[in-house]
Amino acid sequence: MHHSIPGSLAPFFQEYDLEDLEVRTAAPLIIERNLQFGDRSEIHWLFQQYPRTQITDWLIRFANERLPDPHRTFWKMILEIKE
């Protein structure tokens, strides 16, 4: 399992040094940015790093505030989250 953030996501973490972001402790930030900006391979990486339940929990807790539509609607539909 690859634990460092893919370099292709660097443009979406411009205010951070990717080498300093720890995948476990920075999970909420990484999930947020990846769900909003990630491409297919980056999304695949995300679901390898975190259990689906953790990503679903993030969406339930934070998506309404932190994830713009249509991303929020898309991910709620994909992860079968009912409003």
Side-chain angles (χ1 to χ4, degrees):
M1 188 178 296
H2 187 59
H3 290 289
S4 60
I5 298 168
S8 58
L9 285 171
F12 311 116
F13 293 91
Q14 290 182 2
E15 70 273 37
Y16 300 96
D17 181 347
L18 285 187
E19 298 297 319
D20 293 339
L21 281 178
E22 208 288 314
V23 172
R24 296 291 163 228
T25 57
L29 173 68
I30 294 167
I31 292 169
E32 176 183 348
R33 302 279 173 98
N34 207 322
L35 291 180
Q36 187 170 356
F37 301 113
D39 65 18
R40 178 174 273 189
S41 65
E42 294 156 352
I43 295 295
H44 179 74
W45 173 87
L46 181 73
F47 279 85
Q48 286 183 324
Q49 300 306 306
Y50 306 107
R52 181 184 176 115
T53 55
Q54 185 175 3
I55 296 167
T56 300
D57 289 346
W58 183 92
L59 277 155
I60 291 167
R61 290 186 65 201
F62 301 114
N64 288 340
E65 303 166 358
R66 299 187 188 169
L67 202 60
D69 263 333
H71 305 283
R72 178 176 58 243
T73 302
F74 173 79
W75 284 111
K76 285 185 173 184
M77 183 179 68
I78 293 297
L79 295 172
E80 300 175 334
I81 297 170
K82 305 292 183 227
E83 291 292 331

